[in-house]
Amino acid sequence: MSPRRHHRLGSLALLRLGAHLPWWLWRPVSVLGTVVLATAPGGFTPVRQWRLNYERVQGRPAGWTTTYRAFIGWMENTMISLQLAGWSEARIRRRIVMEDSDAWARLEAAHAEGGVVAALPHMGSWDLVGAYACLEGLPVTSVAEGLPDGQFEYFRDLRARLGFRIYDVRDRAVFTRLRDDLDEGRVVCLVADRDFSRRGVPVTWHLPAGDARITMPPGPGLLAQQTGRPLFGAVTWFGRAGRLHVLVRGPMDVARGADGLEAGVQELADFFCAQISERTVNWHMMQRFFKGVVA
């Protein structure tokens, strides 16, 4: 067996172990792991990068307690992603706190007329809110970000049990598949703060520490623009007792043409930026995000 295949199988085995780890054991393991991550001299690269991103947003360094809270939230998100397929409907519903029921009602009303595009940042747990949406009659389609072979199929099959339909970002026909799913009346949910493409839309993030010029993924805006279906933004964060707070905004205006696309994505950026600025500890951004801010 090649080393690469051996590593892939080992990673998949760890994922399966995490999916079945009981909560009474997972909690102390996650606390211990977080203490190590937050305390290690020099820090691991993802921790250093998260701290740099936090400082760019807030204009001040992230202390030990802030870093600990951030990575406990990340551990919580990881546990949910691994174990969510085994949760009951009642357990999923108990964990959700809807911050603006009127906005959620607008999303449901839009869905009653056809497919809906929803864009989210790397905050809270996008998997948990997606599972809740499926329970509420809003079947979710999404895209997995570059998982290795084996892991992608594993996560895809777990999500299918909850009503998700997941495509591989490496699929060259993925945009067409997303359009088809909108025509079918599904909710296409895309994590859309970090731009992995070379065709990002330039926007300005108005941060407490000063404006930042970045690019954001064009996918959600293009889907809304080309299909005529509404675009909503959604942000989630962990509150007390691990409950997931959900805030929805929209529909957002995406007019025709390049200017219409940029204006629509800027509206989405304003929503993301305001929520990330207020709750940066819930932003799981451990990769380079702002220009020149790299660990």
Side-chain angles (χ1 to χ4, degrees), residues 53-97:
N53 291 338
Y54 177 95
E55 186 171 356
R56 179 62 184 89
V57 171
Q58 295 294 338
R60 62 180 186 275
W64 188 91
T65 300
T66 298
T67 304
Y68 173 82
R69 288 178 57 210
F71 279 81
I72 278 290
W74 175 74
M75 289 281 193
E76 181 85 354
N77 175 53
T78 301
M79 183 276 291
I80 290 172
S81 293
L82 289 174
Q83 300 193 349
L84 188 58
W87 286 20
S88 67
E89 292 187 9
R91 185 177 182 185
I92 292 172
R93 293 183 189 279
R94 281 198 305 268
R95 294 291 292 269
I96 297 294
V97 178

Side-chain angles (χ1 to χ4, degrees), residues 30-281:
S30 66
V31 169
L32 177 61
T34 302
V35 169
V36 171
L37 287 173
T39 309
F44 297 100
T45 298
V47 179
R48 295 200 308 270
Q49 187 62 62
W50 184 87
R51 285 172 167 158
L52 288 172
N53 291 338
Y54 177 95
E55 186 171 356
R56 179 62 184 89
V57 171
Q58 295 294 338
R60 62 180 186 275
W64 188 91
T65 300
T66 298
T67 304
Y68 173 82
R69 288 178 57 210
F71 279 81
I72 278 290
W74 175 74
M75 289 281 193
E76 181 85 354
N77 175 53
T78 301
M79 183 276 291
I80 290 172
S81 293
L82 289 174
Q83 300 193 349
L84 188 58
W87 286 20
S88 67
E89 292 187 9
R91 185 177 182 185
I92 292 172
R93 293 183 189 279
R94 281 198 305 268
R95 294 291 292 269
I96 297 294
V97 178
M98 196 59 59
E99 289 290 320
D100 188 337
S101 57
D102 290 341
W104 183 263
R106 288 197 298 274
L107 191 154
E108 290 182 312
H111 178 257
E113 299 178 358
V116 174
V117 184
L120 305 89
H122 288 82
M123 283 183 70
S125 174
W126 44 96
D127 278 333
L128 181 51
V129 71
Y132 175 78
C134 289
L135 290 180
E136 293 294 294
L138 305 170
V140 168
T141 289
S142 192
V143 175
E145 296 177 353
L147 293 173
D149 292 340
Q151 291 185 31
F152 168 76
E153 289 79 7
Y154 180 71
F155 276 105
R156 179 198 62 198
D157 294 345
L158 286 179
R159 298 300 169 268
R161 298 183 202 171
L162 298 162
F164 287 69
R165 187 178 293 167
I166 304 295
Y167 297 118
D168 192 330
V169 70
R170 296 168 294 187
D171 182 350
R172 293 185 178 182
V174 66
F175 194 82
T176 299
R177 299 188 196 282
L178 296 177
R179 289 189 56 160
D180 290 344
D181 280 11
L182 282 173
D183 290 341
E184 189 181 319
R186 299 183 66 86
V187 180
V188 174
C189 295
L190 302 174
V191 180
D193 47 352
R194 186 169 183 239
D195 182 26
F196 291 91
S197 74
R198 297 180 180 179
R199 304 181 302 278
V201 178
V203 295
T204 300
W205 277 37
H206 303 290
L207 301 165
D211 291 354
R213 192 71 173 165
I214 67 165
T215 60
M216 282 177 55
L222 280 174
L223 279 169
Q225 189 180 63
Q226 293 183 12
T227 63
R229 299 310 303 155
L231 170 64
F232 286 79
V235 169
T236 71
W237 65 92
F238 290 112
R240 292 183 179 179
R243 299 186 75 189
L244 187 74
H245 295 250
V246 180
L247 181 65
V248 173
R249 284 289 178 267
M252 298 178 177
D253 183 32
V254 186
R256 293 182 179 180
D259 291 343
L261 177 63
E262 186 168 333
V265 177
Q266 181 64 60
E267 185 179 357
L268 188 64
D270 292 341
F271 173 53
F272 285 179
C273 183
Q275 298 305 312
I276 288 170
S277 296
E278 185 174 349
R279 303 178 178 88
T280 315
V281 74

